[in-house]
Amino acid sequence: MKAFRLDELEAERAANDGAYLQFLRERNMSVGLYAIDAGAHDPQQPHNQDEVYFVVSGRAQITVGLETTHVARGSVVYVPAGVAHKFHHISEDLRVLVVFSPPES
C-alpha cells in the first residue's frame, strides 16, 4: 500500500517551486498534484494520455475541446488524450489531483 496526505504533498510541491508534483507512478497510471493560483495562467498543452482531474480546492472554469464548465471542490473532469484543455478564470487558488493513464511520460 502507498498512502499520501494532501497537506504533505502540497508542502512538497511548494518547496520544489513547481506547479505540478507527480507523487505516484505505476505501470498503468500516474498521479500528481497540480496547483494554479487565483488569477494565474494555465500553460498546459494536450497530453498523450487520458486524464482525470479531481478538484481538491479552489474555483475556476475549465475548457476541454469546445466545452466549458465551472469547477470547484469535488468536481471531477475527464480529458481524453490529445484534446486541448485549460483551466481559466481561476477565482480561488486551485489544487487538483491529476490521474494519467497510461503514466505521464
Side-chain angles (χ1 to χ4, degrees), residues 26 59 74:
E26 297 295 334
R59 291 185 182 279

Side-chain angles (χ1 to χ4, degrees), residues 11-70:
E12 183 179 349
R13 184 206 57 78
N16 289 317
D17 294 324
Y20 183 73
L21 171 71
Q22 179 178 279
F23 62 88
L24 179 65
R25 183 179 183 86
E26 297 295 334
R27 185 173 58 86
N28 293 316
M29 62 177 243
S30 61
V31 184
L33 178 64
Y34 188 41
I36 312 170
D37 292 336
H41 169 74
D42 181 6
Q44 290 193 80
Q45 298 296 317
H47 303 282
N48 295 324
Q49 306 84 0
D50 287 343
E51 294 177 78
V52 172
Y53 289 116
F54 174 75
V55 178
V56 175
S57 62
R59 291 185 182 279
Q61 291 182 21
I62 186 170
T63 298
V64 178
L66 300 175
E67 296 180 85
T68 299
T69 191
H70 292 275

